[in-house]
Amino acid sequence: MYITSPTFKQFYYSQSIVSSSINNYPQPDFNNMVEKFCESFKLPDEKYNYSRFDEELAEKISSYKDGATKPVVKLLSQTEDETKATAGLYLLNRIIDAGAKNAGDYYHVISKFNNSDSANVQTMLAGVYRKTQIPDGFASLMTMYLKNLKNPKTKPFNPDEEICGAILAYLGNKEITDALLDYLKKNNSMNAMSNYSCR
């Protein structure tokens, strides 16, 4: 099909305008938005067994999907504070729910919370692992669960509900269970497992 020069120029011109307007559209200040969200975040307490926060801001941040992941991970990399860590991991869960695909690339950052004793942090971290199915996350979940067996947490809620849900999600993933069985076979752990009984 032959396209006349004026038609092509018109099409090219209109596409250029669209591309230019998208590129020149001001990007949101994610760092400021994430910081404001953290300021609004309230951890569960004796009165509430759930977190409270600015829902509208959470929705806005998560709507940017992959574009919002990096600023949230940046916050997580820079904090040891329980409230900020819980808020950041909550946002990461929301971003994944919205359709982000790149959250699993940041295991090296979020894994810093694997040894946290906070029920809030454990719950949010387990949610991230359940949704991303990062292979290394399975051992982290098992460690969390076994640690909590020694020192059970029930107030203001039990984090093991989310942790065990995440473990079950991993066990339902054939690719991961096949890799786990291969590992156990190579390390002669199958006999130990078959002889193991709950007491």
Side-chain angles (χ1 to χ4, degrees), residues 131-169:
K131 293 166 189 173
T132 57
Q133 300 278 292
I134 303 166
D136 290 346
F138 181 77
S140 307
L141 290 164
M142 291 299 297
T143 302
M144 269 188 256
Y145 176 64
L146 293 171
K147 188 163 65 169
N148 289 349
L149 281 179
K150 293 180 181 177
N151 299 296
K153 300 177 180 67
T154 55
K155 292 183 180 180
F157 58 87
N158 185 352
D160 290 338
E161 291 178 15
E162 182 66 29
I163 293 168
C164 290
I167 290 169
L168 288 173

Side-chain angles (χ1 to χ4, degrees), residues 62-165:
S62 62
S63 71
Y64 287 94
K65 303 176 186 176
D66 292 284
T69 307
K70 210 166 185 179
V72 172
V73 171
K74 180 183 175 186
L75 163 85
L76 291 170
S77 71
Q78 295 172 345
T79 191
E80 297 295 334
D81 178 73
E82 181 186 13
T83 303
K84 282 190 174 182
T86 306
L89 289 167
Y90 174 79
L91 277 178
L92 203 54
N93 274 283
R94 288 287 292 264
I95 290 166
I96 296 166
D97 289 340
K101 304 294 183 193
N102 63 352
D105 298 340
Y106 296 99
Y107 177 79
H108 62 286
V109 174
I110 61 176
S111 63
K112 71 182 264 190
F113 301 108
N114 285 350
N115 296 318
S116 174
D117 290 323
S118 162
N120 297 299
V121 172
Q122 287 182 354
T123 299
M124 295 303 163
L125 187 59
V128 172
Y129 288 154
R130 177 172 57 82
K131 293 166 189 173
T132 57
Q133 300 278 292
I134 303 166
D136 290 346
F138 181 77
S140 307
L141 290 164
M142 291 299 297
T143 302
M144 269 188 256
Y145 176 64
L146 293 171
K147 188 163 65 169
N148 289 349
L149 281 179
K150 293 180 181 177
N151 299 296
K153 300 177 180 67
T154 55
K155 292 183 180 180
F157 58 87
N158 185 352
D160 290 338
E161 291 178 15
E162 182 66 29
I163 293 168
C164 290

